[in-house]
Amino acid sequence: MAAHPDHGGAAGGRPTLDRGLLRALEDVVGSPHLLVDPDLVAPYVVDWTGRFVGRAPAVVRPGDTEQVAAVVGRCAEAGVPLTLQGGNTGLVGGGVPLSGELVVSLRRLDHLGEVDAAAGQVTAGAGVTVERLQQAALAAGWRYGVDLASRGSATVGGSVATNAGGVRVLRYGDTRAQLVGVEAVLGRGEVVSHLGGLLKDNTGYSLPGLLCGSEGTLAVVTAARVRLVPPVTHQVVALLGLGGVGAAVEACGTLRRSVPSLEAAELFLDDGLELVCRVTGMAPPFDRPHRCYLLVEAAAPHDPTGELAEGVGALAGVGEVAVAADAARRAVLWRYREAHTEAVNTLGRPHKLDVTLGLGELAPFVERVPSVVAALAPGARVWLFGHAADGNIHVNVTGLQPGDDRVDGAVFELVAASGGSISAEHGIGTAKRPWLHLNRSPAEIAAFRALKSALDPAGVLNPAVLLPPEG
Ligand code: 2HG
Ligand code: ZN
């Protein structure tokens, strides 16, 4: 029996693994892919915000599904817990070995199949980046419906595990809505594979639906078959300066009805824009500031400029509008929104609270959050931006200690009291486990635990993720 990694928390020494197990893992993946040198392990134990720092005895990098199965099987026998990692772009500490787990990096599973042009589908290995999948789809005359700011590093496996959302959910749905098949390794090393891509296939439980969003707690996703959407040839972006979030929500509702080609409606505020401009050196989009900004994109096989202009023209309360049709100017308008994450990170390690509210609750929530934070942490600052049409706001709080989660709790309480969800698209990870009960009943959490023990009986897959500790 191998020794368990030490679960003494991030402050302890480096966890160790039984030598016999290490040798067995090396036999499976080959010595270049079993990393034990602390310098090589280091990038795998910290998330990119720097808020979550863990420790690992080693990193194992399997190259195919059989190797994943062998690694999981051996570790399950030995009772060694694993942290599964894709592009390490997660924001809730789910991909970092916070309790000394062995890291399994899935990045080498980067096989991308041929696009099935007739079906509009493709199968991608867990380690393929979202951007590479998007490019392959475009090259084959199709398009992948999911897009997100971390597209260059986020992987298919991670985006399936967390049911990633992003900026086009309003038109194409989340990652779960794209999935038509999945291949995965269950907790004892059994491979389940259902990648045929049949659109009509009522032969029992839907594993894609179940595993998507399970955050690596039920199985290791090794490949996904996804549906593609028709390509667009024309895109136009407009940035609207508005008096407040209420006006932005109203504009989203109107534009969704009047502009069928609408595919994104993103929100940010005056202080966030000012920070982005300061950090990036970009000039502000307008001569005068507005309280709130709504960035909308329309995309179609025909030029949607007229349709969007007409829709925007009919809106009430729009202060100013900037329109961009060519790619370079569209990218500038998008950067005002997408650079929020990197700009906030320059202020220190943020607490990232990714929440959804019903659309009617969004404006009152945005009004209230700063005072809820100030009551507990007067020196902290709140940055609010997100995906307006989805009711999804990213509450970023700077000026807090990484381990001080009183503000997190207070914001989540407010979200739950407003009927919202404490995780819109980033998942529960390790960071939000203590508050899962705000959104999920005891019966639901018991059902989650039953699923976990059925599919991962040894409890080795991401044991510190999603489910709160028992007792
Ligand atoms: C986004 O929408 C991402 O840009 C990141 O979900 C959000 O940095 C964040 O809090
Ligand atoms: Zn987001």
Side-chain angles (χ1 to χ4, degrees), residues 56-68:
V59 176
V60 57
R61 296 167 31 96
D64 59 31
T65 303
E66 289 69 42
Q67 291 186 9
V68 175

Side-chain angles (χ1 to χ4, degrees), residues 48-49 89 91 147-150 165-167 266 337-342 344-345 350-354 383 385-387 392-396 425-426:
W48 77 270
T49 69
T89 57
L91 296 170
D147 190 27
L148 59 169
S150 57
V167 297
E266 298 285 308
R337 160 64 181 88
E338 289 195 326
H340 272 66
T341 298
E342 71 191 63
V344 168
N345 238 39
H351 286 223
K352 289 188 171 283
L353 316 174
D354 151 50
W383 310 93
F385 55 96
H387 314 285
N392 178 186
I393 288 285
H394 297 305
V395 181
N396 279 225
E425 57 175 3
H426 295 169

Side-chain angles (χ1 to χ4, degrees), residues 166-314:
V167 297
R168 291 192 203 136
V169 169
L170 115 85
R171 189 168 198 182
Y172 302 115
D174 54 18
T175 298
R176 188 179 285 121
Q178 322 306 317
L179 266 189
V180 290
V182 77
E183 179 192 76
V185 172
L186 304 181
R188 281 209 182 105
E190 319 91 307
V191 177
V192 288
S193 186
H194 206 74
L195 294 169
L198 300 178
L199 286 186
K200 291 191 156 180
D201 183 12
N202 280 350
T203 52
Y205 304 134
S206 166
L207 287 181
L210 175 64
L211 299 187
C212 187
S214 67
E215 301 188 44
T217 59
L218 301 180
V220 187
V221 171
T222 49
R225 183 141 185 106
V226 294
R227 76 178 176 109
L228 304 173
V229 298
V232 293
T233 45
H234 296 76
Q235 283 150 289
V236 57
V237 174
L239 182 65
L240 282 50
L242 299 161
V245 175
V249 169
E250 213 176 299
C252 284
T254 308
L255 292 175
R256 286 180 70 184
R257 288 192 302 269
S258 59
V259 184
S261 57
L262 188 71
E263 68 174 27
E266 298 285 308
L267 178 110
F268 48 94
L269 303 181
D270 46 1
D271 50 0
L273 176 66
E274 203 187 303
L275 176 70
V276 163
C277 291
R278 202 164 65 232
V279 169
T280 62
M282 292 170 80
F286 303 119
D287 291 341
R288 63 187 175 93
H290 299 270
R291 169 65 187 134
C292 176
Y293 297 87
L294 186 68
L295 179 145
V296 290
E297 175 161 311
H302 56 268
D303 183 358
T305 307
E307 187 176 293
L308 185 63
E310 209 175 298
V312 169

